[in-house]
Amino acid sequence: MRKSKIKGKSHSMRPVESGAPKWVKATSEEVESLIIEFAKKGIPPSQIGVILRDQYGIPLAKQITGKKVCETLSEKNLAPDIPEDLFNLIKHASRIRRHLEEHPKDMSSKRGLQLLESKINRLAKYYTSLGKLPHDWKYSPEKASILAR
């Protein structure tokens, strides 16, 4: 019986290519202006990458500009205050809290909320050590309900 959770190798991998593909016609200035334009509309960095890929045929912004989307946004002071993955976890936790207000006996959701909040605290600790969050930043459910709106 197989004990490991690895089930196969069927997944996509990015090609190991240092520069931009030859078929991409966009310049780095055009890509940066698109990134800034989308950020000003309020689109998060991960969605900017998806839009660039699907609508503009730009596989990776880093291959063309030499910088990641978040790096480009932080240079122009358009980066979000809280990193996107942490923000999404906080929104999820506030949705679970709202659910628990209506259904207080849902113990599996309560346990899921505990696990999610511990993940938020671990990620916040990591981002404070990197300097992406202030050193006095702490997660609290009250702050989460305000942020999630």
Side-chain angles (χ1 to χ4, degrees):
M1 189 167 112
R2 188 174 175 149
K3 299 227 178 207
S4 69
K5 294 187 180 199
I6 302 170
K7 300 212 180 212
K9 294 184 179 182
S10 176
H11 58 277
S12 63
M13 291 180 64
R14 291 182 178 153
V16 183
E17 207 173 297
S18 59
K22 296 172 188 163
W23 47 267
V24 175
K25 304 294 183 214
T27 64
S28 65
E29 293 82 21
E30 292 172 351
V31 174
E32 283 187 17
S33 66
L34 284 171
I35 291 171
I36 292 166
E37 175 187 331
F38 291 134
K40 286 182 179 176
K41 290 181 181 177
I43 299 174
S46 64
Q47 289 298 313
I48 291 174
V50 170
I51 291 170
L52 289 176
R53 183 195 67 204
D54 294 343
Q55 294 179 6
Y56 294 91
I58 299 168
L60 281 176
K62 187 175 181 181
Q63 289 179 340
I64 297 170
T65 61
K67 299 175 278 193
K68 293 183 178 181
V69 173
C70 286
E71 292 172 4
T72 305
L73 293 176
S74 63
E75 285 179 359
K76 306 294 182 188
N77 295 326
L78 294 171
D81 299 334
I82 298 175
E84 188 178 2
D85 53 351
L86 181 62
F87 182 71
N88 289 334
L89 290 175
I90 290 171
K91 278 189 353 188
H92 189 183
S94 69
R95 285 195 306 265
I96 292 176
R97 279 199 179 278
R98 240 180 305 156
H99 168 79
L100 284 172
E101 287 173 3
E102 296 175 20
H103 309 282
K105 291 189 177 184
D106 189 355
M107 294 301 150
S108 60
S109 291
K110 195 171 190 178
R111 172 70 176 149
L113 179 64
Q114 290 172 345
L115 295 174
L116 187 62
E117 287 183 339
S118 67
K119 187 185 290 187
I120 289 169
N121 288 324
R122 286 193 310 268
L123 199 57
K125 182 179 175 184
Y126 169 71
Y127 280 132
T128 53
S129 70
L130 283 184
K132 291 188 177 183
L133 285 176
H135 288 287
D136 60 344
W137 194 91
K138 295 281 184 209
Y139 168 76
S140 67
E142 296 81 26
K143 193 186 321 183
S145 63
I146 294 169
L147 283 175
R149 291 181 187 165

